[in-house]
């Protein structure tokens, strides 16, 4: 397995990297949340092991953002925060499992095996289609009329959300909660900016137009009936 370990304690990181490597896993280490998020979004991993207390960006925020962009990758939160509320926050942020420090290394290996089995047994995510637009959530490939469309990670997440809700109007708040998973000033135009980015890549030069604005209500991905 290719594993990303996001851990800021050097001794813990070195111990885990050595132990997991001896189990034939390939392990990349990130020492802070910002670097961990960057690596998680740019490299395909089979598993992410994530501390909760990290410099730069908290493990919870890393988990939320990774989960928004990659619903399938298993995330194991490994942290000293062991209260019930801490576990609930970690699982609600998108972690698949939660292990409290100090821990037995054999238990960690058992949990990794369980997550690996769960991933192998998971159903394949179907491609999403609307007219001649296709989005593959696994390969992250988007095409329109058979032509590849290059999207940023945020644009892909926004299009994925719109297509999962095609035909249904989604509000700006819905998009902020499910795509950004953070709060902005409701007067911010960040949603409009990214909708325009998508339109230029998805709709410009193609018919029918698929991304629509309903003034005062939100946005919808659909084929307008003639």
């Amino acid at each position: 397995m290719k594993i990303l370990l996001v851990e800021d304690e050097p001794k813990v990181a070195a111990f885990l990297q050595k132990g997991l490597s001896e189990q034939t896993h390939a392990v990349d280490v990130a020492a802070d949340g910002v670097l961990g998020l960057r690596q998680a979004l740019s490299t395909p991993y089979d598993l992410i092991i994530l501390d909760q207390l990290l410099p730069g960006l908290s493990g919870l925020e890393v988990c939320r953002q990774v989960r928004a962009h990659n619903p399938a990758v298993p995330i194991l939160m490994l942290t000293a925060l062991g209260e019930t509320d801490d576990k609930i926050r970690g699982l609600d942020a998108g972690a698949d499992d939660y292990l409290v420090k100090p821990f037995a290394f054999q238990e960690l290996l058992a949990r990794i095996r369980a997550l690996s089995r769960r991933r192998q047994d998971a159903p394949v995510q179907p491609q999403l289609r609307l007219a001649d637009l296709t989005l593959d959530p696994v390969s992250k490939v988007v095409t329109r009329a058979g032509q590849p469309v290059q999207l940023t990670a945020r644009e892909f997440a926004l299009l994925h959300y719109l297509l999962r809700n095609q035909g249904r109007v989604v509000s700006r708040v819905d998009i902020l909660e499910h795509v950004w998973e953070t709060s902005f000033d409701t007067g911010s135009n960040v949603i409009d900016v990214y909708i325009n980015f998508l339109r230029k890549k998805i709709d410009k030069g193609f018919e029918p137009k698929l991304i629509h604005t309903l003034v005062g209500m939100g946005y919808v991905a659909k084929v307008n009936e003639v």
Side-chain angles (χ1 to χ4, degrees):
M1 294 179 66
K2 187 172 180 60
I3 297 174
L4 174 62
L5 171 63
V6 189
E7 171 61 63
D8 65 317
E9 296 182 38
K11 290 183 179 179
V12 175
F15 166 75
L16 288 174
Q17 185 176 36
K18 181 177 183 294
L20 293 171
S21 297
E22 290 174 349
Q23 298 294 318
T24 72
H25 299 300
V27 183
D28 292 339
V29 177
D32 62 65
V34 174
L35 180 58
L37 178 61
R38 185 181 305 133
Q39 289 183 226
L41 297 184
S42 63
T43 304
Y45 288 100
D46 299 306
L47 173 70
I48 296 174
I49 299 176
L50 181 63
D51 193 1
Q52 193 172 141
L53 297 174
L54 293 167
L57 196 65
S58 75
L60 289 177
E61 185 58 28
V62 173
C63 188
R64 291 188 189 100
Q65 294 198 39
V66 170
R67 186 55 74 222
H69 291 287
N70 188 343
V73 63
I75 299 176
L76 170 61
M77 197 157 277
L78 185 64
T79 176
L81 299 178
E83 297 297 325
T84 299
D85 287 347
D86 297 318
K87 296 177 182 178
I88 291 171
R89 280 190 288 269
L91 295 171
D92 284 348
D96 297 284
D97 201 357
Y98 196 104
L99 185 59
V100 179
K101 300 175 183 176
F103 58 92
F105 186 68
Q106 291 302 318
E107 181 180 359
L108 173 64
L109 293 179
R111 289 175 183 249
I112 289 174
R113 290 193 296 270
L115 289 172
S116 179
R117 288 194 301 271
R118 192 182 308 170
R119 187 183 192 190
Q120 292 170 2
D121 293 340
V124 176
Q125 297 183 68
Q127 291 186 346
L128 299 176
R129 299 178 185 275
L130 178 61
D132 57 356
L133 174 67
T134 301
L135 179 149
D136 189 321
V138 176
S139 66
K140 302 294 190 287
V141 171
V142 176
T143 62
R144 179 87 200 255
Q147 301 178 29
V149 180
Q150 300 299 321
L151 300 178
T152 66
R154 188 70 72 183
E155 290 165 354
F156 182 91
L158 176 56
L159 180 61
H160 189 207
Y161 181 68
L162 289 172
L163 290 181
R164 283 191 289 115
N165 293 277
Q166 60 183 269
R168 183 173 76 85
V169 179
V170 293
S171 69
R172 296 161 65 93
V173 173
D174 290 333
I175 294 173
L176 286 174
E177 288 180 350
H178 291 88
V179 178
W180 269 260
E181 297 204 356
T182 188
S183 59
F184 284 97
D185 181 348
T186 53
S188 169
N189 70 340
V190 64
I191 301 298
D192 307 279
V193 169
Y194 274 87
I195 289 290
N196 286 332
F197 288 162
L198 272 186
R199 283 201 176 106
K200 289 178 181 178
K201 295 182 177 183
I202 298 299
D203 279 342
K204 187 176 181 180
F206 295 99
E207 292 294 340
K209 305 305 180 189
L210 302 178
I211 301 175
H212 308 278
T213 300
L214 280 72
V215 178
M217 299 174 64
Y219 309 90
V220 60
K222 68 175 183 175
V223 177
N224 274 344
E225 297 179 358
V226 178

